[in-house]
């Protein structure tokens, strides 16, 4: 293997070093190709292998920019050789070396996926120079386009999942103001399994859910969407409380397949006429209640997260008296598990309540946005998790 050509520090940017793998079993032809490469003036590292099996080992161990491939190897030949190499290195430029008598081999090689072909015995240094540079450029362009397409598809998929995780509330006569926020984790903006929803039943009661499926990425997000849609359908169908949680757990188990996913959630039913909120906690933390006196965490009974011990979960109800005016905030732990400034400890609920006490008075939307901004500033990107916030405001503030 040729050593890279050094360049003077501080000088102009050097030409790229092409990492070239020559797969050629004829020693004389291999020597000729190496001499031609030296005559091109290209900066290169050349590795020569005589069989596809040897090339497979090299491609697994090293990053290669360009493969010069003879079509007649001891262990594979013809377009099968190209297919095998493309499978091993789908984003690497492949230039096929053909014989003088193989008039159709070049066209067939291009059709099979090679970037270009050269005829042995008719290759000059200038032609090899241009061919290598163009093939590598074309391969890099194709890879960039493929990556961009994958990014577009991922963004479209995330947008569809996010619409499922953050739906429009179904409200008719309720005077409650609903504020929702959903933020995917900062790392590559992957969606996770946080979900929330609000619907008003025919009886005038307002039902809300905030939940968190364990894990991140499309599997957790898809399960979160499934549970959110199931919750909405079941609530509108008249299911509430432990019976609703039992049905959601059955759906989770059926939809998670072999993956050991589970979900935590808070169910809330707000009865403005009775001035009460009924809570069911399935492995989730308590909501926050904001009144004229300030904001505090509610004390509520806990039940088991969904999917941890199927058929053995119990979910006791907690009934909370409500003031004439106030707000309830339900959230996932992405809001509290970040770091509390430069210190190593997490923000936690106490840190969250301190932030809320120090925030200036604002409308619900501005308040939620400012709270999220403050927690993310303190965390400074050190902990990444999805974050869902649902705030319900009622009465005159």
């Amino acid at each position: 293997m040729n050593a890279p050509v050094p360049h003077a520090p501080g000088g102009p940017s050097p030409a790229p070093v092409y990492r070239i793998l020559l797969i050629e079993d004829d020693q004389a032809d291999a020597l000729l190709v190496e001499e031609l490469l030296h005559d091109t003036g290209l900066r290169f590292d050349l590795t020569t292998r005589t069989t596809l099996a040897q090339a497979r080992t090299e491609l697994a161990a090293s990053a290669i920019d360009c493969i010069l491939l003879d079509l007649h190897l001891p262990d594979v030949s013809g377009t099968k050789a190209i297919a095998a190499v493309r499978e091993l290195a789908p984003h690497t430029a492949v230039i096929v070396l053909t014989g003088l008598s193989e008039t159709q081999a070049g066209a067939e090689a291009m059709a099979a996926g090679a970037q270009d072909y050269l005829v042995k015995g008719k290759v000059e240094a200038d032609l090899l120079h241009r061919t290598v540079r163009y093939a590598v450029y074309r391969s890099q362009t194709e890879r960039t386009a493929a990556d961009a397409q994958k990014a577009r598809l991922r963004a479209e998929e995330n947008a569809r999942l996010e619409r499922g995780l953050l739906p429009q509330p179904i409200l008719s006569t309720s005077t409650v103001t609903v504020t929702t926020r959903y933020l995917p984790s900062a790392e590559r903006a992957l969606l996770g399994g946080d979900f929330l929803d609000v619907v008003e039943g025919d009886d005038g009661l307002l039902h809300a859910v905030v939940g968190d499926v364990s894990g991140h990425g499309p599997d957790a997000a898809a399960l979160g969407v499934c549970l959110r849609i199931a919750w909405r359908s079941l609530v509108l169908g008249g299911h509430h409380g432990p019976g609703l949680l039992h049905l959601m757990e059955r759906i989770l188990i059926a939809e998670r397949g072999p993956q050991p996913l589970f979900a935590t959630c808070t169910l809330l039913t707000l009865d403005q006429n009775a001035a009460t909120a009924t809570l069911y906690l399935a492995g989730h933390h308590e909501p926050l209640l904001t009144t004229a006196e300030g904001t505090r965490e509610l004390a509520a009974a806990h039940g088991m997260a969904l999917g941890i011990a199927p058929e053995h979960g119990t979910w006791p109800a907690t009934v909370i008296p409500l003031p004439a005016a106030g707000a309830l905030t339900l959230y996932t732990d992405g809001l509290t598990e970040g770091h509390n400034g430069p210190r190593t400890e997490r923000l936690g609920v106490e840190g969250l309540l301190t932030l809320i006490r120090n925030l200036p008075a604002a409308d619900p939307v501005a308040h939620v946005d400012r709270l999220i901004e403050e927690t993310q500033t303190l965390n400074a990107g050190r902990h990444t998790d999805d974050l869902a916030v649902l705030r319900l405001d009622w009465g005159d503030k």
Side-chain angles (χ1 to χ4, degrees):
M1 180 176 287
N2 296 1
V5 180
H7 66 283
S13 178
V17 177
Y18 293 97
R19 297 160 296 186
I20 299 174
L21 173 62
L22 172 62
I23 311 176
E24 170 65 76
D25 65 326
D26 187 305
Q27 187 174 359
D29 285 345
L31 181 61
L32 178 62
V33 170
E34 183 174 359
E35 291 176 349
L36 280 169
L37 283 170
H38 281 291
D39 292 340
T40 63
L42 292 171
R43 291 160 52 89
F44 67 92
D45 287 336
L46 178 65
T47 302
T48 302
R49 295 292 180 262
T50 59
T51 66
L52 178 65
Q54 293 177 3
R56 179 181 288 108
T57 301
E58 183 66 28
L59 289 169
S62 306
I64 300 296
D65 296 313
C66 182
I67 298 170
L68 300 177
L69 173 65
D70 178 50
L71 286 181
H72 301 287
L73 299 174
D75 49 353
V76 68
S77 63
T79 55
K80 291 182 179 179
I82 302 170
V85 168
R86 295 292 293 175
E87 183 177 356
L88 293 171
H91 301 299
T92 300
V94 178
I95 300 173
V96 165
L97 304 176
T98 70
L100 288 169
S101 61
E102 299 173 299
T103 57
Q104 296 296 321
E108 293 174 355
M110 297 282 286
Q115 267 69 38
D116 213 330
Y117 71 95
L118 296 170
V119 180
K120 294 179 183 180
K122 297 183 66 176
V123 182
E124 297 181 354
D126 288 345
L127 176 60
L128 182 58
H129 180 282
R130 290 194 302 271
T131 302
V132 169
R133 290 188 63 184
Y134 174 73
V136 172
Y137 172 77
R138 179 181 170 189
S139 177
Q140 291 173 344
T141 301
E142 291 173 351
R143 181 173 186 173
T144 299
D147 289 344
Q149 176 66 7
K150 289 180 180 177
R152 284 193 295 270
L153 293 175
R154 186 183 303 115
E156 292 172 1
E157 178 180 276
N158 279 1
R160 289 193 296 270
L161 286 171
E162 190 166 345
R163 286 195 298 270
L165 293 166
L166 187 58
Q168 288 295 320
I170 297 179
L171 304 175
S172 53
T173 63
S174 176
T175 59
V176 174
T177 300
V178 178
T179 303
T180 59
R181 288 293 182 269
Y182 179 88
L183 296 177
S185 60
E187 185 178 358
R188 298 184 65 191
L190 286 176
L191 288 168
D194 291 9
F195 60 96
L196 53 82
D197 202 354
V198 179
V199 299
E200 183 181 357
D202 293 336
D203 52 8
L205 299 180
L206 196 70
H207 304 279
V209 63
V210 164
D212 184 358
V213 177
S214 60
H216 301 280
D219 289 336
L223 186 54
V225 172
C226 178
L227 290 176
R228 200 278 303 165
I229 293 174
W231 175 87
R232 174 175 283 201
S233 301
L234 290 168
V235 166
L236 292 176
H239 296 275
H240 307 294
L244 171 58
L245 288 166
H246 173 70
L247 292 173
M248 290 178 65
E249 184 173 59
R250 289 183 60 186
I251 292 170
L252 181 149
I253 294 167
E255 294 294 332
R256 72 183 177 184
Q259 301 181 83
L261 298 175
F262 63 91
T264 68
C265 67
T266 294
L267 304 188
L268 181 146
T269 298
L270 193 153
D271 186 340
Q272 286 185 275
N273 291 330
T276 61
T278 303
L279 296 175
Y280 293 91
L281 304 181
H284 212 78
H285 44 261
E286 297 89 340
L288 306 179
L289 175 63
T290 299
T291 66
E293 287 73 35
T295 300
R296 62 182 175 87
E297 185 180 40
L298 292 173
H302 283 259
M304 191 176 298
L306 306 181
I308 295 291
E311 304 299 333
H312 295 286
T314 58
W315 301 283
T318 300
V319 179
I320 307 294
L322 300 178
L328 281 165
T329 302
L330 290 69
Y331 60 93
T332 57
D333 53 17
L335 192 64
T336 55
E337 287 195 345
H339 291 267
N340 189 8
R343 295 172 298 220
T344 58
E345 67 265 20
R346 304 294 182 172
L347 179 65
V349 177
E350 289 303 319
L352 183 66
L353 291 173
T354 299
L355 280 181
I356 293 172
R357 282 194 293 269
N358 293 331
L359 286 179
D363 63 87
V365 172
H367 185 276
V368 170
D369 287 340
R370 182 69 182 275
L371 182 61
I372 293 174
E373 179 184 349
E374 292 290 334
T375 61
Q376 292 184 326
T377 299
L378 288 172
N379 183 46
R382 287 173 290 168
H383 174 74
T384 58
D385 197 2
D386 301 286
L387 183 158
V389 179
L390 167 61
R391 174 168 164 154
L392 306 174
D393 286 78
W394 65 92
D396 296 327
K397 307 299 185 292

